[in-house]
Amino acid sequence: MGTMTDPILLLASTSPSRAKLLRDSGIAFDQLGSEVDEDAVVSEAGLTEPSEIALALARAKCEAVAALPQAAGRLVIGCDSVFELDGQPLGKPYTAAVARERIGQMRGRTGHLHTGHWLIDTRSPDDGGTGLSEGALAGADVTFAAMTDDEISAYVDTEEPLWVAGSFTLDGYGAAFTERVDGDLHAVIGLSINTLRQLAGRAGVPVRRLWGREA
């Protein structure tokens, strides 16, 4: 359960990239991962649109963590990213073979990275809680370099692209192969700080409170 000394924000993720974004933005937070079966969520809802998938998974993760005792008295934020190419959603490839095939399709082209955000206010009314449960999308167009076959193999060999949406990152080895980003850079890395500010504001929490500099 949250205490007066806990940060008000609880990140429903164990992602190092999302945690670094928050830290670099001066935001105080704790982390708690969810145990959501992503494939089951998408299948049961019958979702096919990349943006809908990203938002539904962000909500599922947020709701799973918000239901835990440790989340009481907090703002819980959940996120999920889905890359769209030719209208098709590309999640985590998991295997080297899938990653190699996807990156081969992506090289020299532009796709769109959707990041869904969902925020739940678990604070009681006596503590200023609003009961807010709301989501928002952010994202950007990402243009990739015309990678050679050797470069694709070298990147896949790092294993970095196996566990990330769209088989690429902007804050790791994948940065070498990203030519252009048009949109919210933070959303492509995994969490839009601006979107978080907006959602927290709708729960009556100004960004200065997220910074941990003011009670």
Side-chain angles (χ1 to χ4, degrees):
M1 179 177 293
T3 70
M4 292 300 291
T5 58
D6 289 329
I8 191 171
L9 187 69
L10 179 60
L11 174 63
S13 169
T14 57
S15 164
S17 295
R18 293 188 177 109
K20 186 175 187 301
L21 280 174
L22 292 174
R23 283 195 299 270
D24 289 350
S25 301
I27 294 174
F29 67 100
D30 287 326
Q31 278 182 278
L32 187 60
S34 67
E35 299 296 330
V36 170
D37 184 334
E38 298 185 14
D39 290 338
V41 170
V42 174
S43 177
E44 289 172 9
L47 300 174
T48 57
E49 290 294 324
S51 60
E52 293 178 350
I53 292 171
L55 196 58
L57 289 176
R59 181 174 186 171
K61 293 175 181 180
C62 186
E63 289 179 342
V65 170
L68 300 175
Q70 302 96 307
R74 307 284 196 98
L75 296 185
V76 182
I77 183 72
C79 302
D80 193 84
S81 297
V82 177
F83 187 68
E84 178 180 354
L85 187 70
D86 296 331
Q88 298 300 310
L90 301 180
K92 304 176 182 70
Y94 297 116
T95 68
V98 173
R100 191 172 289 107
E101 179 183 2
R102 287 186 180 175
I103 296 170
Q105 295 171 351
M106 292 157 47
R107 60 180 165 186
R109 301 182 63 198
T110 299
H112 189 84
L113 194 288
H114 303 270
T115 293
H117 304 72
W118 202 273
L119 185 137
I120 294 176
D121 183 357
T122 73
R123 298 173 299 161
S124 71
D126 290 342
D127 291 329
T130 61
L132 181 79
S133 178
E134 189 172 330
L137 286 160
D141 290 335
V142 183
T143 301
F144 301 99
M147 302 165 66
T148 67
D149 290 344
D150 285 345
E151 286 175 327
I152 293 175
S153 293
Y155 184 37
V156 173
D157 285 346
T158 69
E159 298 189 354
E160 177 185 83
L162 305 188
W163 315 107
V164 291
S167 313
F168 75 95
T169 66
L170 292 185
D171 56 344
Y173 295 111
F177 311 112
T178 305
E179 284 194 351
R180 182 183 179 92
V181 176
D182 295 297
D184 190 327
L185 176 64
H186 291 157
V188 179
I189 296 173
L191 191 160
S192 166
I193 303 300
N194 181 49
T195 301
L196 170 60
R197 175 190 62 81
Q198 293 178 50
L199 289 172
R202 292 171 199 165
V205 177
V207 69
R208 64 178 179 272
R209 286 198 61 195
L210 299 182
W211 289 335
R213 298 172 59 89
E214 184 173 317

